[in-house]
Amino acid sequence: MKVLVPIKRVIDYNVKVRVKADNSDVDLANTKMAINPFCEIAVEEAVRLKEAGTATEVIVVSIGDKSCQEQLRTALALGADRAIQIDTADSLDALNIAKLLQKIVEEEQPQLVILGKQSIDSDNNQTGQMLAALTGLPQGTFASEVKVEGDKVNVTREVDGGLQTVALNLPAIVTTDLRLNEPRYASLPNIMKAKRKPLAVKPVADFGLDLTARTKLVKVTPPAQRQAGIVVESVDELVEKLKNEAKVIS
Amino acid sequence: MSILVIAEHDNATLKAETLKTVAAAQKIGGDVTLLVAGFNCQNAVDAAAKVNGVSKVLVADNAAYEHQLAENVSLLVTELAGDYEHILATALTTGKNFMPRVAALLDVAQISDIIDVESSDTFVRPIYAGNAIATVQSLDSKKVITVRTTGFDAVATDGNAEVVNLDTVTDAGTSSHVSDELTVSERPDLGAAGVVISGGRGMQNGDNFKLLDGIADKLGAAIGASRAAVDAGFVPNDMQVGQTGKIVAPDLYIAVGISGAIQHLAGMKDSKVIVAINKDPEAPIFQVADYGIVADLFDALPELEGKL
């Protein structure tokens, strides 16, 4: 069984992002970049499926300029077998990303596609579901457990009230939530080995898709800052303030 | 303009968040239709018909929609979409699950998690875990939108909308529901509670979360947790408040033993009043708290419970 894992290069989650002075976007110049954390969980899950003998090959794909090869190499070091970079300098909407991934799914015919549930930059939470719609495949989003059984996969999902388990016909699309697994660190020998694993570069123009932007970013502003309040000296004072000043308790 | 809002419900009750999504629809402006897709969902339909500002309630009552499977619900919404310029759902796990599928089937972009409406095609949404606020214009003729409910005030429920039963059934047949393992609690929902008290890594273990119970009982509060507390295994993930968990905006938020990581602040900083209890005076949570108390939570919590 082939497993396809699309990954995204994003700002490292420890770095606090700044908004550009002209409010045109955020400033990513010279910031540390990494694999989106949810995508890393997706890579880990695919590698574990291979180690368990369920998957035979793990393919990672990323869409971006040459710099995303760094994240593809990281995924290869974590245990993926080969990588595809769809080469484009443009930042694409989730729908256009899903259309490109649909072409890769048609070409590679994976039984399972595992993606992160959302990227920590645009916070859209769309790509996996859109890919599922375009390919006509069922989806198990926000997964905390993935069990392949015969021609089905059982996905336990993190939903508002607790957990929901669904059974999906394979092939299927899964998106990861935080508790699915804890990704490993790449060992030095595996980092070295990853340099020799195949990485194919496909120019975006070769896909023959209309990738016109569907949204326009009008402006980006910093969030409203909350004013720090006061430090009270005692629980008595706190209760008094909440009752008489803030009037949020009676 | 006509707007379709997909109701968030569990067949028995209409979730309060739907009232806020309808408020977002009203801000866009237009004739609002509410869709209730479920199974044996008459109670939810009755509640939906009372939502103010809704002119019509469409009902799709069929086993295919009992568990809100995205494959089936998205086909239904796509089929109905022709009549509407805007399609809105609540940005909770159900809406987040099926809406991007609807957008892709309609070949339009989705605008996720809006917190404000600038005009009928321009919306405001947080990005980078709330560290930046983007204003985004949709260039598509149809707008597919999910609404973060903390940005809108609930509409009233003394309306009387016309109820129309649909007889189309859309069953993709590619997925099925196996089981639910839902948290049973006497307390209000995190997303709907007027008061939330959350514990962080400072709680030290899951047992100590019991210290929050008495205060929650007295205030009618929901109990939440930071991601650090969830990651440490103290409490289940459905209690997580933060960018990757639940986004809440209660009247009163009490953060106990929570340092105030960016990703936690993203989930609660729109609360009206924030109280922080932490023994570290340098903790970033104090920079957003209206009232802070530098104290050991194991002393402060019992005292607070006693004095409420």
Side-chain angles (χ1 to χ4, degrees), chain B residues 15-266:
Chain B
K15 295 253 179 84
E17 285 88 343
T18 299
L19 306 177
K20 300 181 178 180
T21 306
V22 169
Q26 286 183 331
K27 194 154 183 195
I28 293 168
D31 189 47
V32 180
T33 299
L34 201 51
L35 168 67
V36 180
F39 185 48
N40 292 331
C41 53
Q42 190 57 45
N43 288 345
V45 172
D46 292 344
K50 295 197 179 79
V51 177
N52 270 35
V54 172
S55 61
K56 199 178 355 171
V57 177
L58 300 178
V59 181
D61 194 330
N62 189 280
Y65 312 124
E66 182 174 8
H67 301 287
Q68 305 289 328
L69 290 173
E71 295 77 10
N72 301 348
V73 174
S74 60
L75 288 177
L76 173 69
V77 176
T78 309
E79 203 172 292
L80 298 171
D83 298 335
Y84 305 92
E85 281 91 62
H86 294 82
I87 301 159
L88 271 63
T90 309
L92 292 172
T93 48
T94 303
K96 286 176 177 178
N97 190 32
F98 72 77
M99 276 298 256
R101 246 187 125 99
V102 171
L105 291 172
L106 295 171
D107 195 26
V108 302
Q110 171 176 305
I111 315 280
S112 296
D113 260 309
I114 66 160
I115 54 171
D116 203 0
V117 174
E118 292 239 311
S119 71
S120 65
D121 67 358
T122 305
F123 308 94
V124 180
R125 58 181 302 266
I127 53 175
Y128 291 88
N131 285 303
I133 305 295
T135 303
V136 183
Q137 184 182 14
S138 164
L139 306 176
D140 289 307
S141 57
K142 251 183 224 310
K143 280 82 172 141
V144 172
I145 295 163
T146 63
V147 177
R148 182 177 289 190
T149 52
T150 52
F152 301 90
D153 292 326
V155 297
T157 53
D158 52 7
N160 184 17
E162 176 198 2
V163 175
V164 179
N165 287 295
L166 303 170
D167 45 17
T168 51
V169 178
T170 52
D171 188 344
T174 52
S175 62
S176 57
H177 177 263
V178 177
S179 61
D180 284 326
E181 197 182 307
L182 299 182
T183 313
V184 183
S185 170
E186 301 291 305
R187 302 192 191 286
D189 266 1
L190 260 178
V195 182
V196 173
I197 180 164
S198 291
R201 201 195 293 276
M203 298 302 290
Q204 294 182 3
N205 59 50
D207 270 352
N208 287 337
F209 267 74
K210 292 199 188 89
L211 291 169
L212 305 179
D213 284 347
I215 299 170
D217 285 343
K218 287 193 168 171
L219 296 175
I223 297 185
S226 69
R227 178 164 149 195
V230 173
D231 277 350
F234 299 171
V235 291
N237 189 53
D238 56 16
M239 287 172 67
Q240 190 198 148
V241 172
Q243 178 63 21
T244 54
K246 297 205 168 63
I247 314 279
V248 302
D251 292 333
L252 173 60
Y253 188 90
I254 307 176
V256 183
I258 291 175
S259 64
I262 296 168
Q263 93 88 36
H264 184 74
L265 300 184

Side-chain angles (χ1 to χ4, degrees), chain A residues 3 23 31 46 48 56 64 69 95 168 180 189 223 228 243 245 249:
Chain A
V3 182
N23 288 346
T31 45
R48 287 188 191 188
T56 50
Q69 289 187 8
L95 181 63
L168 313 174
L180 181 59
K243 272 187 185 158
E245 193 175 274
I249 61 173

